[in-house]
Amino acid sequence: MRMLMAAALAVTMLPAAASAQSWARVGSNDQMTAYVDGSSLRVAGGKTTALTFSGYAKALGDTPVWFTAVKVEYNCSANSFRTLEYTYYDKSGNSLGTEASYTINEIRTPNPGSIDETMMRYSCTKAGGTPVSDPFADTRARLPR
């Protein structure tokens, strides 16, 4: 049952698949590009949940992971966040699976000037993003391999 739920989550989190998603590029450097899906923003109990996406210039460590989608919970008033779950993608954009965050109970504060801070700012205020239709293609254009 858990495997079926994970497969269902992987399908629903697929960034480029749903035309209802509204991606914004919110940060970039020479190693990664970061996005937030504006249509995923949900506010409940004083916290905002968002689907974020990151594309990388090279695979993460010794893994086949080139892209990640992360469901994040932001506490905008406390300037903190926690990661809820991850979906991993290979270089071609194929899903490698979804899993709960092993740091789900870890509350973090974004470093000033960091990409985490820009993702949080966009998720809390919808300020500072550049619309993109496909974060996979946008990452490939910005970080050629």
Side-chain angles (χ1 to χ4, degrees):
M1 180 67 127
R2 184 176 172 118
M3 192 60 108
L4 287 174
M5 288 174 55
L9 284 171
V11 171
T12 60
M13 288 184 67
L14 229 163
S19 60
Q21 290 174 310
S22 178
W23 291 102
R25 182 183 339 103
V26 297
S28 187
N29 60 34
D30 62 346
Q31 296 299 307
M32 73 170 295
T33 304
Y35 308 85
V36 175
D37 174 15
S39 68
S40 73
L41 301 176
R42 300 288 180 267
V43 179
K47 296 178 182 168
T48 301
T49 27
L51 180 60
T52 66
F53 183 85
S54 298
Y56 305 97
K58 59 184 180 180
L60 296 178
D62 292 331
T63 73
V65 175
W66 285 75
F67 303 94
T68 57
V70 183
K71 187 175 180 182
V72 181
E73 179 185 79
Y74 294 101
N75 185 330
C76 301
S77 62
N79 192 39
S80 64
F81 69 97
R82 67 185 183 122
T83 56
L84 304 175
E85 70 184 15
Y86 289 84
T87 300
Y88 304 100
Y89 299 91
D90 67 14
K91 190 173 185 177
S92 298
N94 299 311
S95 176
L96 299 170
T98 298
E99 65 184 20
S101 172
Y102 67 90
T103 60
I104 195 166
N105 294 317
E106 189 177 307
I107 306 298
R108 297 183 284 181
T109 301
N111 291 326
S114 69
I115 289 179
D116 283 334
E117 182 182 57
T118 63
M119 282 195 236
M120 183 171 182
R121 181 182 320 112
Y122 186 83
S123 298
C124 293
T125 67
K126 275 201 154 180
T130 301
V132 298
S133 60
D134 179 353
F136 288 105
D138 191 69
T139 297
R140 289 181 186 112
R142 297 181 70 73
L143 302 171
R145 283 101 193 230

